[in-house]
Amino acid sequence: MSPTVQLRSLQTIVPDVPLDQETVRDVFAGQPGLSRLTQRLVTASFNGSGIETRHTVLDELALDAQASDPLFYDRSSGELLAPGTKARNEIYIREADRLFVEVARRALQADPDLTAADVTHVVTVSCTGFHAPGPDFEIVRALGMPDSVERYHLGFMGCYAAMPALRAARQFCLADPDAVVLVVSVELCTLHLRSAEDPDMIIASSLFSDGAAAGLVTARSFDSGAPAFLLDRFRTAIASQGEKDMAWTIGDSGFEMVLSTAVPQIIGESIRTALRPLWDDDDELAAAFEDDRIGDPVAHWAIHPGGRSILDRVQERLHLSDEQLHPAREILREYGNMSSATVLFVLRHILDSAETRAGDRVAAMAFGPGLTAESAMLTVLASGA
């Protein structure tokens, strides 16, 4: 019998600078040279996002900032600037490493049974910047881990990348029951936002934000009852269409997101096919799914909030209740879309909820370029409520 593997000590943090969605909307809509049609599209995208606040590592975007040599936003003229990719990535190196180390440290400090000395593997996740030696190296050095810790980085996979990171961590633990895997995701999406007339970039500018999350994955057994999920199984699916509707490339003025208005429809059309293999080994769940009542045996849904319309389509197609989509909508409202870190924020929200009980089933799902859908079944081992 295979050992059970748990995800524990989930921690999340966001940068210090908040972005009010209405204020950011007015800045983007007020850029010189925008057509009236583009201004209306900006207003509609921001107003319909389901977001109230986001966060950024860019201090010059703070409401009281007075940057003498602005790089992203000239407050005196109200104009958004367009720094090159190198300048953006230099900020990523500095700020992302700081967040990687801080959220990893918090995950270890939150665990009653594990310390940095117990960690055998570090898996880092990010798609918003590059450098080597990378964040995996910085975490090991900053937290005083042995040089022998195995390090892996999942880069440039997009919004679904935390899911394969957890899947890989689970595989490490199944292969070695004594393993302890530190999984850390940091995304600084605001480094790549810019003014544009392209509808895809406008949608991206209305959604994306910065955030960091970390947790520990292990098959070891403990008596402390720390808040945790059992990682039961994972599945991957690719939509029959959508390869050109969600993509992430590198341009001269930052990374460029393709996020077409067709994405919610594609997810709605493919989500049932993508999820069906997740129930293959469970007759009860398979029957409930076919009868459109999967929300009964699966109490909680950690859906990556790629946008409000995506959540609307998922809720409609799976016949889920408002309460079951509340964690995803709440994370979207408070923090925006933080790419790969976001689904970990939703899982943390579920774990901290007063409504969550040990033994509850949880379905998690995240979407990204391809169009790829990564899904997982989890069971609440102990909640933090």
Side-chain angles (χ1 to χ4, degrees):
M1 183 176 178
S2 299
T4 57
V5 180
Q6 60 179 284
L7 167 64
R8 51 193 281 137
S9 301
L10 264 177
Q11 296 293 302
T12 58
I13 56 176
V14 292
D16 294 333
V17 178
L19 297 175
D20 174 73
Q21 186 75 339
E22 292 185 355
T23 302
V24 179
R25 175 202 64 199
D26 293 344
V27 169
F28 272 84
Q31 292 306 294
L34 293 186
S35 67
R36 288 187 178 181
L37 177 61
T38 300
Q39 290 175 335
R40 288 198 296 269
L41 180 56
V42 169
T43 300
S45 295
F46 278 77
N47 288 350
S49 66
I51 297 170
E52 293 183 6
T53 55
R54 294 183 274 172
H55 291 78
T56 180
V57 295
L58 298 172
D59 291 338
E60 66 181 81
L61 298 185
L63 290 176
D64 57 353
Q66 298 293 332
S68 58
D69 188 19
L71 188 62
F72 286 83
Y73 179 50
D74 185 344
R75 193 170 297 274
S76 62
S77 68
E79 184 178 359
L80 290 166
L81 308 178
T85 301
K86 180 184 179 191
R88 297 174 194 260
N89 197 63
E90 286 175 347
I91 298 174
Y92 172 88
I93 294 170
R94 179 183 71 245
E95 297 296 333
D97 280 0
R98 177 179 62 83
L99 290 171
F100 267 110
V101 171
E102 178 61 23
V103 77
R105 178 181 287 113
R106 291 192 188 190
L108 286 164
Q109 290 175 341
D111 199 291
D113 304 296
L114 297 169
T115 68
D118 294 299
V119 174
T120 58
H121 303 68
V122 171
V123 180
T124 53
V125 182
S126 190
C127 70
T128 46
F130 294 100
H131 69 106
D136 51 306
F137 177 89
E138 294 297 329
I139 289 170
V140 168
R141 285 300 176 90
L143 300 186
M145 298 176 185
D147 293 349
S148 59
V149 168
E150 296 184 25
R151 309 190 324 263
Y152 302 86
H153 181 70
L154 300 186
F156 219 65
M157 296 179 74
C159 294
Y160 66 80
M163 301 288 277
L166 292 176
R167 182 176 61 226
R170 180 176 181 270
Q171 294 293 342
F172 292 146
C173 295
L174 291 176
D176 177 6
D178 290 326
V180 175
V181 186
L182 174 62
V183 176
V184 192
S185 168
V186 174
E187 301 288 11
L188 305 185
C189 305
T190 64
L191 295 180
H192 304 290
L193 302 184
R194 76 203 69 161
S195 176
E197 300 223 5
D198 185 307
D200 291 345
M201 287 194 179
I202 291 173
I203 293 172
S205 296
S206 72
L207 291 173
F208 285 97
S209 56
D210 303 348
L216 294 162
V217 178
T218 185
R220 296 188 190 181
S221 298
F222 306 98
D223 297 325
S224 61
F229 295 105
L230 294 178
L231 298 176
D232 298 327
R233 54 186 175 273
F234 292 82
R235 291 291 184 271
T236 301
I238 299 176
S240 58
Q241 57 180 322
E243 182 177 352
K244 297 181 180 180
D245 292 282
M246 187 183 292
W248 191 222
T249 58
I250 299 176
D252 292 336
S253 296
F255 298 174
E256 298 175 356
M257 167 60 73
V258 175
L259 186 64
S260 83
T261 56
V263 168
Q265 179 181 346
I266 295 170
I267 289 175
E269 293 172 349
S270 60
I271 189 169
R272 293 185 67 85
T273 300
L275 280 174
R276 187 169 281 108
L278 201 59
W279 332 122
D280 280 349
D281 299 327
D282 192 313
D283 292 341
E284 179 192 4
L285 295 184
F289 182 67
E290 296 304 327
D291 292 341
D292 290 332
R293 51 180 183 83
I294 189 62
D296 295 338
V298 180
H300 309 286
W301 291 77
I303 304 297
H304 167 68
R308 190 176 74 175
S309 56
I310 289 176
L311 295 178
D312 290 345
R313 197 60 61 93
V314 169
Q315 182 173 5
E316 174 191 354
R317 292 289 289 139
L318 299 180
H319 304 278
L320 302 177
S321 68
D322 290 344
E323 291 75 16
Q324 288 170 317
L325 265 291
H326 176 74
R329 293 191 191 277
E330 191 68 4
I331 294 302
L332 181 66
R333 184 184 67 81
E334 292 185 9
Y335 303 110
N337 182 342
M338 300 166 284
S339 191
S340 68
T342 320
V343 72
L344 299 177
F345 274 69
V346 180
L347 285 169
R348 169 78 186 272
H349 189 288
I350 291 171
L351 207 56
D352 289 345
S353 171
E355 306 302 318
T356 301
R357 299 286 184 270
D360 284 355
R361 307 298 297 276
V362 182
M365 196 171 198
F367 317 97
L371 198 158
T372 302
E374 293 279 354
S375 57
M377 281 299 303
L378 304 87
T379 303
V380 177
L381 185 63
S383 72

